[in-house]
Amino acid sequence: MKKYWCWVMTILVLGLLALMSNAEVDIDAFESLVKNAPDEALKAYQNEIARADLAVTDLYQLHYLAVRASARTFNNPIFIKALDMLKAPPFKTLADEDRAKILTNIGVGYRRRNQNEQAIWHYRCAMNAPASLQHKSALKVNIAIAYTRLEQPAIGYNLLKSVDREMLPSFMQAGLLTALGNATFAMGEADTALSYYIDAATHYAKDENYRAVKQVSINSLGIYVLHSDFSSYHKMLADITAEPSLIEDNQHYLGWLRELVQQLEQNKQALTVSTTMKAYSLGAANAGYASMVNAHIDKFNLSLPKVTSQLTIRDPLPVELGKAWCPNR
């Protein structure tokens, strides 16, 4: 898998070079970078928009896709700049047509930064804009994710179950399944959650979103530990380590799992909770894994108090960035 991922990244880099050298912008290549290498996509974006020979439609697509990439990479200056560009007169008609999509991407930016109330605000704005049935379904998924982050998984679960999954393309089914996994685990249904996560990874792979495959696989790791399935745990962890940025983003949770597994594999009758483990438990909770850590505390009788999510707002964005596309709120 590691060799395969290196091959994929090589293809993406070659695509990036082609993107920057062609007389016309290869929007498909740029969109692939946005999905699989968003930091590289933003480097390409800044080079491309400096050109004077771009068609309005190509320039619009670059700004629009830059919003998606910067939402994921916490690049607030580019996120705000690209949104401001989409409000410019040359792009008004195109942006109005994509109003629901733009508001959704803004909502993703807020959700990634744990500004979940703002995320819900923008998603509900998008629900009031003209959009396809598929997009409305995706919005329900996003709203459910935000409610789960706010520790209200039942609200999210009810929204998710109202979505007709079979009507969605593979990448949307992946998002729906991931959200269902998160909600059901938060409601205490670990086995059902694992099934959702595995199905989600399969659908992300079909969409060639390999980073998302690894992200959802991180969710499965803790359930394998709950089941003492260390073979599956180590196999999946080896795949995840091929994505260093995910390791960094989830370092506290992965550290918690590492410390826990090391002791469990020694078949100790009573596990020792070190100062390091305590720190990891709090960090993991703040990264959104409180439910999983608490499940481990219960399962393995750890002498550790339950943790709560104290979600830190990372690089917060100004509020209501999508107000221009949501005038009635």
Side-chain angles (χ1 to χ4, degrees):
M1 182 66 182
K2 192 170 183 178
K3 290 183 178 179
Y4 179 71
W5 179 245
C6 291
W7 175 80
V8 170
M9 290 306 298
T10 300
I11 296 298
L12 288 172
V13 171
L14 290 175
L16 171 62
L17 294 174
L19 173 70
M20 297 175 62
S21 61
N22 287 344
E24 296 181 357
V25 177
D26 187 339
I27 295 298
D28 289 338
F30 184 65
E31 186 167 12
S32 181
L33 281 172
V34 168
K35 286 197 297 186
N36 290 293
D39 286 310
E40 294 302 319
L42 293 180
K43 292 177 184 177
Y45 166 72
Q46 293 182 89
N47 284 310
E48 291 296 302
I49 62 173
R51 290 168 45 179
D53 59 341
L54 291 177
V56 169
T57 52
D58 283 347
L59 192 54
Y60 170 79
Q61 285 297 321
L62 286 170
H63 293 315
Y64 170 78
L65 290 168
V67 171
R68 287 176 51 187
S70 55
R72 293 173 54 195
T73 59
F74 301 95
N75 192 320
N76 290 3
I78 291 183
F79 188 80
I80 294 169
K81 175 185 176 182
L83 283 174
D84 285 341
M85 293 305 301
L86 292 180
K87 298 171 188 174
F91 309 121
K92 177 174 172 46
T93 300
L94 292 168
D96 284 347
E97 291 174 356
D98 283 339
R99 183 157 55 101
K101 293 179 181 179
I102 292 170
L103 286 164
T104 301
N105 289 329
I106 296 172
V108 170
Y110 282 115
R111 178 173 56 80
R112 288 278 291 165
R113 290 154 178 80
N114 289 321
Q115 293 173 272
N116 292 292
E117 293 87 354
Q118 277 295 303
I120 292 170
W121 190 93
H122 284 79
Y123 294 147
R124 293 202 180 279
C125 280
M127 287 288 284
N128 294 326
S132 67
L133 174 63
Q134 290 182 351
H135 193 84
K136 298 280 189 182
S137 298
L139 283 167
K140 289 182 179 181
V141 172
N142 288 336
I143 293 170
I145 291 171
Y147 274 118
T148 300
R149 288 289 188 92
L150 292 171
E151 299 186 357
Q152 300 177 60
I155 296 176
Y157 180 78
N158 289 334
L159 272 172
L160 296 171
K161 294 302 287 184
S162 71
V163 175
D164 186 350
R165 175 180 158 188
E166 300 304 319
M167 296 291 292
L168 303 179
S170 191
F171 77 95
M172 284 185 161
Q173 289 195 45
L176 172 62
L177 289 162
T178 301
L180 279 166
N182 293 338
T184 52
F185 187 85
M187 294 164 65
E189 301 174 23
D191 289 338
T192 303
L194 180 59
S195 177
Y196 281 135
Y197 291 145
I198 291 172
D199 285 349
T202 300
H203 283 285
Y204 279 128
K206 287 180 182 178
D207 192 49
E208 299 183 356
N209 191 341
Y210 304 109
R211 191 177 192 278
V213 171
K214 292 175 174 58
Q215 178 66 70
V216 75
S217 295
I218 290 175
N219 295 339
S220 299
L221 287 178
I223 300 178
Y224 286 131
V225 174
L226 277 176
H227 295 334
S228 297
D229 183 354
F230 303 125
S231 175
S232 296
Y233 166 82
H234 286 297
K235 181 179 179 181
M236 186 162 285
L237 183 62
D239 289 341
I240 292 167
T241 55
E243 186 68 38
S245 64
L246 286 179
I247 300 298
E248 181 180 355
D249 288 347
N250 297 278
Q251 57 184 304
H252 296 288
Y253 175 57
L254 294 174
W256 164 262
L257 293 178
R258 182 177 62 250
E259 295 286 321
L260 185 57
V261 168
Q262 283 177 355
Q263 294 197 58
L264 290 171
E265 288 185 320
Q266 295 172 12
N267 293 315
K268 291 185 175 181
Q269 290 186 348
L271 302 186
T272 301
V273 178
S274 64
T275 302
T276 300
M277 282 190 74
K278 290 179 181 178
Y280 279 143
S281 72
L282 296 174
N286 290 340
Y289 294 101
S291 294
M292 186 67 74
V293 171
N294 288 333
H296 292 147
I297 291 172
D298 283 341
K299 172 74 174 181
F300 302 113
N301 297 314
L302 300 178
S303 57
L304 193 67
K306 295 289 185 69
V307 294
T308 57
S309 298
Q310 302 292 330
L311 296 179
T312 302
I313 298 177
R314 175 178 171 182
D315 303 325
L317 291 164
V319 301
E320 297 185 6
L321 284 173
K323 186 69 174 179
W325 295 286
C326 197
N328 296 324
R329 294 201 63 177

